[in-house]
Amino acid sequence: MFSKSRINEPGTKSESEKTKTAETPVTKPTMDFSTSSPKGKTVASVLSSDLTVVGNLRTTGDIQVEGTVEGDIRAHLLTVGESATIRGEIVADDIVVNGRVIGRVRGLKVRLTSTARVEGDIIHKTIAIESGAHFEGSVQRQEDPLAQGRPAALAPPLKAEAIEAP
Protein backbone atom coordinates (compact mmCIF):
# COMPACT_ATOMS: atom_id res chain seq x y z
CA MET A 1 0.00 0.00 0.00
CA PHE A 2 2.68 2.41 0.91
CA SER A 3 5.81 2.38 -1.09
CA LYS A 4 8.97 4.14 -0.41
CA SER A 5 9.49 6.85 -2.97
CA ARG A 6 12.09 9.50 -3.46
CA ILE A 7 9.54 12.27 -3.00
CA ASN A 8 9.66 11.99 0.74
CA GLU A 9 13.39 11.63 1.06
CA PRO A 10 15.18 14.70 2.35
CA GLY A 11 17.57 16.46 -0.01
CA THR A 12 16.08 15.21 -3.28
CA LYS A 13 13.56 16.92 -5.46
CA SER A 14 11.05 15.41 -7.76
CA GLU A 15 11.14 16.05 -11.51
CA SER A 16 8.20 18.47 -11.28
CA GLU A 17 9.97 20.54 -8.62
CA LYS A 18 13.19 20.67 -10.71
CA THR A 19 11.38 22.02 -13.77
CA LYS A 20 9.55 24.60 -11.68
CA THR A 21 12.77 26.06 -10.30
CA ALA A 22 14.43 25.99 -13.71
CA GLU A 23 11.53 27.85 -15.30
CA THR A 24 11.31 30.53 -12.62
CA PRO A 25 13.07 33.62 -14.00
CA VAL A 26 15.63 35.18 -11.74
CA THR A 27 15.69 38.96 -11.91
CA LYS A 28 18.89 40.74 -11.07
CA PRO A 29 18.93 44.38 -10.10
CA THR A 30 20.32 46.47 -12.92
CA MET A 31 22.74 49.27 -12.25
CA ASP A 32 23.53 51.60 -15.10
CA PHE A 33 26.86 53.33 -14.62
CA SER A 34 27.22 54.55 -18.20
CA THR A 35 28.36 58.09 -18.78
CA SER A 36 26.34 60.68 -20.62
CA SER A 37 29.01 61.22 -23.30
CA PRO A 38 29.17 58.78 -26.19
CA LYS A 39 32.12 56.39 -26.27
CA GLY A 40 34.89 57.03 -28.74
CA LYS A 41 34.44 60.81 -28.63
CA THR A 42 36.88 62.38 -26.23
CA VAL A 43 37.22 65.96 -25.13
CA ALA A 44 40.36 67.81 -26.22
CA SER A 45 42.97 68.67 -23.62
CA VAL A 46 43.14 72.46 -23.35
CA LEU A 47 46.28 74.37 -22.39
CA SER A 48 44.97 77.76 -21.28
CA SER A 49 46.37 81.13 -22.36
CA ASP A 50 48.12 81.75 -19.02
CA LEU A 51 50.02 78.45 -19.19
CA THR A 52 53.62 78.01 -20.40
CA VAL A 53 54.89 74.49 -20.98
CA VAL A 54 58.60 73.81 -21.38
CA GLY A 55 58.96 70.26 -22.69
CA ASN A 56 57.48 67.85 -25.19
CA LEU A 57 53.81 66.84 -25.30
CA ARG A 58 52.63 63.48 -26.64
CA THR A 59 49.08 62.07 -26.79
CA THR A 60 46.89 59.89 -28.96
CA GLY A 61 44.03 62.31 -28.30
CA ASP A 62 43.32 65.93 -29.16
CA ILE A 63 45.07 69.05 -27.84
CA GLN A 64 44.00 72.68 -28.00
CA VAL A 65 46.83 75.09 -27.18
CA GLU A 66 45.97 78.63 -26.12
CA GLY A 67 49.19 79.34 -24.19
CA THR A 68 52.90 78.89 -24.93
CA VAL A 69 54.68 75.59 -25.59
CA GLU A 70 58.46 75.39 -25.91
CA GLY A 71 58.93 71.85 -27.17
CA ASP A 72 57.61 69.33 -29.65
CA ILE A 73 53.97 68.25 -29.78
CA ARG A 74 52.57 64.99 -31.14
CA ALA A 75 48.80 64.43 -31.14
CA HIS A 76 45.84 63.19 -33.17
CA LEU A 77 44.24 66.63 -33.62
CA LEU A 78 46.14 69.78 -32.71
CA THR A 79 44.46 73.17 -32.62
CA VAL A 80 46.72 76.17 -32.12
CA GLY A 81 44.63 79.03 -30.70
CA GLU A 82 44.95 82.67 -31.78
CA SER A 83 46.83 83.63 -28.60
CA ALA A 84 49.10 80.55 -28.70
CA THR A 85 52.80 80.33 -29.53
CA ILE A 86 54.55 77.03 -30.19
CA ARG A 87 58.34 76.82 -30.54
CA GLY A 88 59.13 73.32 -31.75
CA GLU A 89 58.01 70.64 -34.18
CA ILE A 90 54.34 69.69 -34.30
CA VAL A 91 53.20 66.34 -35.67
CA ALA A 92 49.52 65.37 -35.90
CA ASP A 93 46.94 63.80 -38.17
CA ASP A 94 44.98 67.06 -38.30
CA ILE A 95 46.50 70.47 -37.55
CA VAL A 96 44.62 73.77 -37.42
CA VAL A 97 46.82 76.82 -36.86
CA ASN A 98 45.16 80.03 -35.70
CA GLY A 99 48.17 81.37 -33.79
CA ARG A 100 51.96 81.32 -34.06
CA VAL A 101 54.20 78.33 -34.79
CA ILE A 102 58.00 78.55 -34.98
CA GLY A 103 59.23 75.17 -36.19
CA ARG A 104 58.41 72.34 -38.54
CA VAL A 105 54.78 71.29 -39.07
CA ARG A 106 54.02 67.69 -40.16
CA GLY A 107 50.46 66.53 -40.67
CA LEU A 108 48.08 64.64 -42.89
CA LYS A 109 45.73 67.62 -43.02
CA VAL A 110 47.16 71.06 -42.27
CA ARG A 111 45.08 74.23 -42.22
CA LEU A 112 46.40 77.75 -41.71
CA THR A 113 43.60 80.17 -40.91
CA SER A 114 43.67 83.89 -41.64
CA THR A 115 45.21 84.62 -38.20
CA ALA A 116 48.02 82.01 -38.54
CA ARG A 117 51.70 82.96 -38.31
CA VAL A 118 54.03 80.09 -39.26
CA GLU A 119 57.82 80.25 -39.48
CA GLY A 120 59.06 76.86 -40.59
CA ASP A 121 58.62 74.09 -43.11
CA ILE A 122 55.29 72.34 -43.62
CA ILE A 123 55.19 68.68 -44.66
CA HIS A 124 51.65 67.59 -45.45
CA LYS A 125 49.35 65.31 -47.39
CA THR A 126 46.69 68.02 -47.84
CA ILE A 127 46.98 71.71 -47.01
CA ALA A 128 44.70 74.74 -46.90
CA ILE A 129 45.99 78.28 -46.43
CA GLU A 130 43.38 80.97 -45.89
CA SER A 131 43.75 84.50 -47.15
CA GLY A 132 45.60 86.61 -44.58
CA ALA A 133 47.77 83.80 -43.20
CA HIS A 134 51.47 84.63 -42.78
CA PHE A 135 53.87 81.84 -43.73
CA GLU A 136 57.66 81.71 -44.14
CA GLY A 137 59.22 78.40 -45.10
CA SER A 138 58.83 75.59 -47.57
CA VAL A 139 55.83 73.43 -48.34
CA GLN A 140 56.30 69.78 -49.23
CA ARG A 141 53.65 67.20 -50.02
CA GLN A 142 54.24 63.60 -48.94
CA GLU A 143 52.00 60.55 -48.90
CA ASP A 144 53.03 59.82 -45.31
CA PRO A 145 54.20 63.04 -43.64
CA LEU A 146 54.00 61.44 -40.19
CA ALA A 147 56.86 59.03 -40.92
CA GLN A 148 59.86 59.63 -38.67
CA GLY A 149 62.50 59.76 -41.38
CA ARG A 150 62.37 62.08 -44.35
CA PRO A 151 62.04 59.85 -47.42
CA ALA A 152 63.10 61.11 -50.81
CA ALA A 153 60.90 63.97 -51.90
CA LEU A 154 58.13 63.21 -54.34
CA ALA A 155 58.43 66.73 -55.70
CA PRO A 156 60.82 69.57 -54.97
CA PRO A 157 59.64 71.74 -52.06
CA LEU A 158 57.97 75.03 -52.84
CA LYS A 159 59.55 78.10 -51.29
CA ALA A 160 57.28 80.75 -49.85
CA GLU A 161 58.25 84.09 -48.40
CA ALA A 162 55.91 86.10 -46.19
CA ILE A 163 52.60 85.43 -47.90
CA GLU A 164 49.96 87.89 -46.84
CA ALA A 165 46.62 88.69 -48.39
CA PRO A 166 45.94 92.28 -49.45
Side-chain angles (χ1 to χ4, degrees):
M1 165 153 134
F2 294 102
S3 68
K4 192 173 184 182
S5 72
R6 294 180 180 243
I7 298 174
N8 295 333
E9 288 181 11
T12 60
K13 295 183 180 181
S14 68
E15 287 297 319
S16 62
E17 287 179 16
K18 286 181 184 177
T19 57
K20 284 181 186 176
T21 56
E23 292 174 353
T24 307
V26 178
T27 58
K28 293 182 180 179
T30 58
M31 296 184 172
D32 188 15
F33 292 108
S34 63
T35 59
S36 59
S37 64
K39 293 188 180 198
K41 186 70 175 170
T42 59
V43 177
S45 299
V46 179
L47 303 178
S48 67
S49 60
D50 63 339
L51 183 66
T52 298
V53 175
V54 178
N56 299 334
L57 301 175
R58 176 180 226 119
T59 181
T60 57
D62 303 344
I63 299 178
Q64 179 177 342
V65 178
E66 297 295 334
T68 302
V69 175
E70 295 182 14
D72 299 340
I73 300 176
R74 185 172 187 102
H76 170 67
L77 168 65
L78 174 64
T79 304
V80 181
E82 285 188 38
S83 62
T85 300
I86 297 174
R87 288 181 178 85
E89 181 180 39
I90 56 178
V91 180
D93 293 337
D94 294 328
I95 301 171
V96 179
V97 180
N98 299 305
R100 186 171 187 195
V101 176
I102 302 167
R104 187 184 326 179
V105 176
R106 292 193 297 141
L108 295 175
K109 292 186 338 186
V110 178
R111 186 174 125 205
L112 307 182
T113 65
S114 61
T115 58
R117 303 286 177 257
V118 177
E119 298 173 31
D121 298 339
I122 298 176
I123 302 170
H124 65 89
K125 187 170 182 180
T126 61
I127 190 167
I129 302 175
E130 292 182 4
S131 179
H134 175 84
F135 169 64
E136 286 186 42
S138 66
V139 178
Q140 182 178 2
R141 185 190 181 285
Q142 287 184 1
E143 277 301 313
D144 188 10
L146 304 180
Q148 285 291 66
R150 288 187 73 174
L154 300 175
L158 302 174
K159 290 286 183 183
E161 295 283 333
I163 300 173
E164 290 199 34

PDB file of all heavy atoms in Angstrom, residues 45-61:
ATOM      1  N   SER A  45      42.238  68.083 -24.735  1.00  0.00           N
ATOM      2  CA  SER A  45      42.968  68.665 -23.615  1.00  0.00           C
ATOM      3  C   SER A  45      43.274  70.109 -23.974  1.00  0.00           C
ATOM      4  O   SER A  45      43.774  70.386 -25.056  1.00  0.00           O
ATOM      5  CB  SER A  45      44.271  67.915 -23.371  1.00  0.00           C
ATOM      6  OG  SER A  45      44.010  66.571 -23.050  1.00  0.00           O
ATOM      7  N   VAL A  46      42.971  71.036 -23.065  1.00  0.00           N
ATOM      8  CA  VAL A  46      43.143  72.456 -23.345  1.00  0.00           C
ATOM      9  C   VAL A  46      44.259  73.007 -22.470  1.00  0.00           C
ATOM     10  O   VAL A  46      44.246  72.836 -21.253  1.00  0.00           O
ATOM     11  CB  VAL A  46      41.835  73.240 -23.090  1.00  0.00           C
ATOM     12  CG1 VAL A  46      42.046  74.715 -23.356  1.00  0.00           C
ATOM     13  CG2 VAL A  46      40.707  72.698 -23.944  1.00  0.00           C
ATOM     14  N   LEU A  47      45.234  73.670 -23.110  1.00  0.00           N
ATOM     15  CA  LEU A  47      46.279  74.374 -22.392  1.00  0.00           C
ATOM     16  C   LEU A  47      45.916  75.849 -22.441  1.00  0.00           C
ATOM     17  O   LEU A  47      45.966  76.470 -23.496  1.00  0.00           O
ATOM     18  CB  LEU A  47      47.643  74.126 -23.035  1.00  0.00           C
ATOM     19  CG  LEU A  47      48.063  72.653 -23.159  1.00  0.00           C
ATOM     20  CD1 LEU A  47      49.398  72.540 -23.862  1.00  0.00           C
ATOM     21  CD2 LEU A  47      48.112  71.997 -21.803  1.00  0.00           C
ATOM     22  N   SER A  48      45.537  76.415 -21.313  1.00  0.00           N
ATOM     23  CA  SER A  48      44.971  77.764 -21.280  1.00  0.00           C
ATOM     24  C   SER A  48      46.009  78.833 -21.619  1.00  0.00           C
ATOM     25  O   SER A  48      47.214  78.590 -21.619  1.00  0.00           O
ATOM     26  CB  SER A  48      44.347  78.054 -19.921  1.00  0.00           C
ATOM     27  OG  SER A  48      45.344  78.111 -18.938  1.00  0.00           O
ATOM     28  N   SER A  49      45.524  80.035 -21.884  1.00  0.00           N
ATOM     29  CA  SER A  49      46.371  81.130 -22.360  1.00  0.00           C
ATOM     30  C   SER A  49      47.391  81.598 -21.322  1.00  0.00           C
ATOM     31  O   SER A  49      48.411  82.170 -21.687  1.00  0.00           O
ATOM     32  CB  SER A  49      45.504  82.306 -22.805  1.00  0.00           C
ATOM     33  OG  SER A  49      44.723  82.758 -21.728  1.00  0.00           O
ATOM     34  N   ASP A  50      47.160  81.331 -20.043  1.00  0.00           N
ATOM     35  CA  ASP A  50      48.119  81.751 -19.017  1.00  0.00           C
ATOM     36  C   ASP A  50      49.131  80.659 -18.680  1.00  0.00           C
ATOM     37  O   ASP A  50      49.909  80.797 -17.744  1.00  0.00           O
ATOM     38  CB  ASP A  50      47.386  82.200 -17.751  1.00  0.00           C
ATOM     39  CG  ASP A  50      46.595  81.073 -17.115  1.00  0.00           C
ATOM     40  OD1 ASP A  50      46.290  80.089 -17.820  1.00  0.00           O
ATOM     41  OD2 ASP A  50      46.272  81.179 -15.924  1.00  0.00           O
ATOM     42  N   LEU A  51      49.153  79.592 -19.470  1.00  0.00           N
ATOM     43  CA  LEU A  51      50.021  78.455 -19.187  1.00  0.00           C
ATOM     44  C   LEU A  51      51.206  78.421 -20.143  1.00  0.00           C
ATOM     45  O   LEU A  51      51.048  78.599 -21.352  1.00  0.00           O
ATOM     46  CB  LEU A  51      49.227  77.149 -19.326  1.00  0.00           C
ATOM     47  CG  LEU A  51      49.948  75.853 -19.007  1.00  0.00           C
ATOM     48  CD1 LEU A  51      50.302  75.791 -17.525  1.00  0.00           C
ATOM     49  CD2 LEU A  51      49.077  74.668 -19.374  1.00  0.00           C
ATOM     50  N   THR A  52      52.408  78.199 -19.606  1.00  0.00           N
ATOM     51  CA  THR A  52      53.619  78.014 -20.405  1.00  0.00           C
ATOM     52  C   THR A  52      54.169  76.631 -20.096  1.00  0.00           C
ATOM     53  O   THR A  52      54.414  76.306 -18.935  1.00  0.00           O
ATOM     54  CB  THR A  52      54.681  79.078 -20.083  1.00  0.00           C
ATOM     55  OG1 THR A  52      54.157  80.363 -20.396  1.00  0.00           O
ATOM     56  CG2 THR A  52      55.944  78.849 -20.881  1.00  0.00           C
ATOM     57  N   VAL A  53      54.361  75.837 -21.133  1.00  0.00           N
ATOM     58  CA  VAL A  53      54.890  74.486 -20.982  1.00  0.00           C
ATOM     59  C   VAL A  53      56.269  74.452 -21.620  1.00  0.00           C
ATOM     60  O   VAL A  53      56.425  74.834 -22.778  1.00  0.00           O
ATOM     61  CB  VAL A  53      53.969  73.444 -21.653  1.00  0.00           C
ATOM     62  CG1 VAL A  53      54.593  72.062 -21.582  1.00  0.00           C
ATOM     63  CG2 VAL A  53      52.600  73.450 -21.015  1.00  0.00           C
ATOM     64  N   VAL A  54      57.258  73.997 -20.856  1.00  0.00           N
ATOM     65  CA  VAL A  54      58.605  73.808 -21.383  1.00  0.00           C
ATOM     66  C   VAL A  54      58.845  72.302 -21.378  1.00  0.00           C
ATOM     67  O   VAL A  54      59.012  71.698 -20.326  1.00  0.00           O
ATOM     68  CB  VAL A  54      59.658  74.541 -20.528  1.00  0.00           C
ATOM     69  CG1 VAL A  54      61.049  74.281 -21.081  1.00  0.00           C
ATOM     70  CG2 VAL A  54      59.357  76.026 -20.477  1.00  0.00           C
ATOM     71  N   GLY A  55      58.815  71.706 -22.559  1.00  0.00           N
ATOM     72  CA  GLY A  55      58.962  70.255 -22.685  1.00  0.00           C
ATOM     73  C   GLY A  55      58.081  69.747 -23.809  1.00  0.00           C
ATOM     74  O   GLY A  55      57.296  70.490 -24.397  1.00  0.00           O
ATOM     75  N   ASN A  56      58.217  68.472 -24.088  1.00  0.00           N
ATOM     76  CA  ASN A  56      57.476  67.852 -25.186  1.00  0.00           C
ATOM     77  C   ASN A  56      56.139  67.316 -24.705  1.00  0.00           C
ATOM     78  O   ASN A  56      56.012  66.860 -23.567  1.00  0.00           O
ATOM     79  CB  ASN A  56      58.291  66.722 -25.801  1.00  0.00           C
ATOM     80  CG  ASN A  56      59.608  67.194 -26.372  1.00  0.00           C
ATOM     81  OD1 ASN A  56      59.742  68.357 -26.757  1.00  0.00           O
ATOM     82  ND2 ASN A  56      60.589  66.323 -26.426  1.00  0.00           N
ATOM     83  N   LEU A  57      55.142  67.365 -25.596  1.00  0.00           N
ATOM     84  CA  LEU A  57      53.809  66.836 -25.297  1.00  0.00           C
ATOM     85  C   LEU A  57      53.509  65.714 -26.278  1.00  0.00           C
ATOM     86  O   LEU A  57      53.775  65.842 -27.475  1.00  0.00           O
ATOM     87  CB  LEU A  57      52.748  67.929 -25.455  1.00  0.00           C
ATOM     88  CG  LEU A  57      52.905  69.176 -24.595  1.00  0.00           C
ATOM     89  CD1 LEU A  57      51.856  70.204 -24.967  1.00  0.00           C
ATOM     90  CD2 LEU A  57      52.813  68.821 -23.135  1.00  0.00           C
ATOM     91  N   ARG A  58      52.950  64.608 -25.771  1.00  0.00           N
ATOM     92  CA  ARG A  58      52.627  63.476 -26.636  1.00  0.00           C
ATOM     93  C   ARG A  58      51.310  62.865 -26.158  1.00  0.00           C
ATOM     94  O   ARG A  58      51.159  62.577 -24.964  1.00  0.00           O
ATOM     95  CB  ARG A  58      53.740  62.446 -26.579  1.00  0.00           C
ATOM     96  CG  ARG A  58      53.436  61.203 -27.365  1.00  0.00           C
ATOM     97  CD  ARG A  58      54.566  60.184 -27.292  1.00  0.00           C
ATOM     98  NE  ARG A  58      54.790  59.722 -28.640  1.00  0.00           N
ATOM     99  CZ  ARG A  58      55.900  59.854 -29.314  1.00  0.00           C
ATOM    100  NH1 ARG A  58      56.927  60.432 -28.753  1.00  0.00           N
ATOM    101  NH2 ARG A  58      56.007  59.389 -30.522  1.00  0.00           N
ATOM    102  N   THR A  59      50.361  62.694 -27.112  1.00  0.00           N
ATOM    103  CA  THR A  59      49.082  62.071 -26.789  1.00  0.00           C
ATOM    104  C   THR A  59      48.512  61.424 -28.037  1.00  0.00           C
ATOM    105  O   THR A  59      48.874  61.799 -29.152  1.00  0.00           O
ATOM    106  CB  THR A  59      48.071  63.106 -26.233  1.00  0.00           C
ATOM    107  OG1 THR A  59      46.848  62.427 -25.905  1.00  0.00           O
ATOM    108  CG2 THR A  59      47.773  64.187 -27.251  1.00  0.00           C
ATOM    109  N   THR A  60      47.622  60.464 -27.836  1.00  0.00           N
ATOM    110  CA  THR A  60      46.888  59.894 -28.964  1.00  0.00           C
ATOM    111  C   THR A  60      45.564  60.620 -29.143  1.00  0.00           C
ATOM    112  O   THR A  60      44.830  60.344 -30.072  1.00  0.00           O
ATOM    113  CB  THR A  60      46.630  58.388 -28.746  1.00  0.00           C
ATOM    114  OG1 THR A  60      45.926  58.227 -27.513  1.00  0.00           O
ATOM    115  CG2 THR A  60      47.934  57.617 -28.722  1.00  0.00           C
ATOM    116  N   GLY A  61      45.278  61.551 -28.256  1.00  0.00           N
ATOM    117  CA  GLY A  61      44.030  62.314 -28.302  1.00  0.00           C
ATOM    118  C   GLY A  61      44.210  63.669 -28.954  1.00  0.00           C
ATOM    119  O   GLY A  61      45.121  63.890 -29.760  1.00  0.00           O
TER     120      GLY A  61
END
